[in-house]
Amino acid sequence: MKPDSFRKRLKSYLINEIKVPNELSGLITTDAVSEISHESEAVNLTYMRIWAAVESLYKTGMFPGLSFCLRHQGKIRLNRSIGHLSGNGPNDGIYSPKVKLTPDSPLCMFSASKAVTAMLVHSLVALGEVHLDDPISNYLPRIRRYKSPTVLQVLTHQAGLPRMPLDQGVEIIFDYGAMVDQMLSLKPEWEAGERVGYHAVTGGYLLGEVVRAVTELSIQDYLVETFSKPLGMAYFTYGVNQDLVSSVAQNYFTGLPVTPPFSTVLTNTLGARVEDIVDLSNDPRFQSAIIPSANIMTTAEEAARFYQLLLNDGVWEDTSILDKNTILLAIRPQTRLKIDYMLKVPMRYSAGMMLGESPAGIFGPFTKNAFGHLGFTNNLCWADPDRSLSVGLLTSGKAVIGPHLPKLLKLVVEISKLSR
């Protein structure tokens, strides 16, 4: 066997990847109607460098489908997709029906949903219906503990309830009511406020019930009323109606096998192995459930549109949706940069957002004022007021470790080169 052939076979055995053709043009769909023409050759080259970085990310073979939207200076500069909605996963056969991904195809935001849920709570804070320093028990009297966390402590991952209650199995997340009952009786791992530890799934159910208690609406209905409908979203809901499940992008486990210590950290944080989470996310019950921390279905453009609303001081097309001070409160740092107890990496949080940092952070270099959220595992949605930009990057490839990491870093670096 030739050395090159052996290396290719060894690589295919070790890593889950898709087949990437040399020519990508047939896999790329551009929303030419929404993309604004560029003002000058120099500006055009800047955006093209960013798109080249997106293509380079796709070429790693970690993403069966990838959708990207960049808004800069209030205008859509890039709104494109590469790859497939389904049928081109690492283990899909050559005869598997392949459905092309388009910019209008919904993908799951996963944990990037948390920022949206947080802004729903902040909208109620602005109305005086919710107070961040109130114990959750003020709104949820069924809560069964002597000292409940405050609303702010839930938003900042300090509530002491980071892990899923697994005595009924991870599929309990499909049953919103059962999950809420579990959360209301769950014993905290630490006293609220004692430490910062990422609440991957749990906190959203408590926040969802606060919304219900105050508005008498489900958090789904309140999301539609507050953001989805006023912003003209086609999707942007927790899950989708069952008749739309087939339109949602299929998720695939890609990359190298996840081994300790990474697998230990992720299993403790997510409540299941990465591979099992991927399978769970393709279950129609997940795709049509209400999971406030983890399953908003939307497009990259809609995600960027949401962050553009925050950059616009809460105004969209001459309609005021949020108050400017509400947004400032939501993005104000609430924790200093420190090691997150669950994630084991340095993080800085506002009341619902992950924050950028200088000299380097999750949104690129010198992005201390940027705010947004990551989503399992390569979703990245954020706004950067210093650069007047909002970004939606949604992917169906769930690689933790793989050749995509340097390319993802390259992409956020290219985006950070933009100026106001």
Side-chain angles (χ1 to χ4, degrees), residues 54-223:
V54 175
E55 289 190 356
S56 183
L57 182 63
Y58 179 80
K59 288 176 181 177
T60 62
M62 298 296 100
F63 305 103
L66 180 158
S67 195
F68 179 78
C69 181
L70 169 71
R71 287 178 176 265
H72 186 219
Q73 299 170 339
K75 300 174 182 177
I76 297 176
R77 306 298 183 166
L78 295 166
N79 186 21
R80 304 178 182 186
S81 62
I82 313 179
H84 295 88
L85 186 88
S86 61
N88 192 37
N91 298 314
D92 289 335
I94 59 174
Y95 299 111
S96 296
K98 292 178 174 56
V99 180
K100 194 172 181 180
L101 188 74
T102 75
D104 295 326
S105 302
L107 297 95
C108 184
M109 291 179 76
F110 289 97
S111 282
S113 306
K114 291 180 175 63
V116 181
T117 298
M119 291 311 304
L120 293 176
V121 174
H122 282 289
S123 73
L124 295 174
V125 172
L127 295 173
E129 301 287 344
V130 173
H131 302 280
L132 293 181
D133 292 329
D134 280 352
I136 287 281
S137 56
N138 283 18
Y139 307 95
L140 310 177
R142 286 195 297 144
I143 200 163
R144 302 185 193 117
R145 61 177 63 90
Y146 175 72
K147 183 181 179 182
S148 79
T150 65
V151 176
L152 180 61
Q153 286 167 338
V154 176
L155 286 167
T156 55
H157 305 279
Q158 298 183 83
L161 301 164
R163 298 177 214 267
M164 287 276 295
L166 295 180
D167 54 326
Q168 296 186 38
V170 73
E171 291 187 357
I172 189 177
I173 65 172
F174 300 146
D175 187 332
Y176 181 89
M179 188 66 186
V180 168
D181 288 341
Q182 287 284 309
M183 288 306 306
L184 294 178
S185 60
L186 198 61
K187 182 179 179 181
E189 293 188 31
W190 63 78
E191 184 176 341
E194 184 180 281
R195 61 175 62 139
V196 176
Y198 187 62
H199 290 43
V201 179
T202 53
Y205 290 95
L206 292 175
L207 297 174
E209 284 305 281
V210 169
V211 170
R212 183 196 294 274
V214 170
T215 66
E216 298 184 349
L217 296 172
S218 71
I219 193 169
Q220 179 78 293
D221 290 342
Y222 191 61
L223 169 61

